Amino acid sequence: MAMMALGFVIILLGIIIAPLPGPGGIPVIALGLVFVLRNSYWAKRQFIRAQHKRPRYVYPFRRLLRRNPEIAPVFWQQALRAEKVVLVKRRRRILVRARRKTRRFLRKIFR
């Protein structure tokens, strides 16, 4: 019960900081949802219903609920989706090139 209350507090904190610049509220809200889903039978049932209706939106949360959550890949994938929605096609190409150059650079450093 205490963990579920903590989850609700974290969700409220995420909603409060959501209007600030940057993606600060989204990861905090996701973390709160993970706490609530792990500790509430009712929330799990609602999650399964949402999973059947909108699997594309629920899949990132499923990845965060695993025993060994994939935090970095989930947030990277969500950032790419948000970028696709926000940016026009021309600017997207510039960012794709920049990501490729950054990825190549990082691979050279860490090999």
Side-chain angles (χ1 to χ4, degrees):
M1 185 71 169
M3 293 300 281
M4 192 168 87
L6 176 67
F8 283 121
V9 169
I10 292 173
I11 291 171
L12 287 175
L13 178 69
I15 292 171
I16 291 170
I17 65 172
L20 297 175
I26 297 170
V28 175
I29 292 170
L31 180 67
L33 285 173
V34 168
F35 274 110
V36 171
L37 284 173
R38 285 192 175 181
N39 296 299
S40 169
Y41 180 73
W42 175 82
K44 286 178 189 175
R45 283 194 338 219
Q46 297 301 319
F47 183 74
I48 290 170
R49 286 183 186 158
Q51 189 175 354
H52 289 295
K53 290 181 181 176
R54 303 266 191 233
R56 182 175 175 200
Y57 299 122
V58 176
Y59 181 69
F61 293 106
R62 286 185 53 219
R63 288 175 68 184
L64 290 174
L65 288 169
R66 291 179 183 169
R67 196 171 293 253
N68 296 320
E70 304 167 337
I71 296 168
V74 167
F75 286 114
W76 177 256
Q77 180 184 22
Q78 293 308 105
L80 291 177
R81 281 186 182 167
E83 178 183 289
K84 224 178 193 181
V85 170
V86 172
L87 295 177
V88 291
K89 211 170 200 175
R90 213 172 342 135
R91 287 188 180 170
R92 215 181 305 158
R93 281 189 238 136
I94 295 169
L95 290 174
V96 168
R97 287 186 215 129
R99 277 197 304 272
R100 284 182 188 154
K101 287 179 183 178
T102 305
R103 197 176 306 136
R104 287 179 192 146
F105 177 72
L106 291 173
R107 283 182 186 160
K108 286 179 184 177
I109 291 175
F110 292 110
R111 279 190 185 181

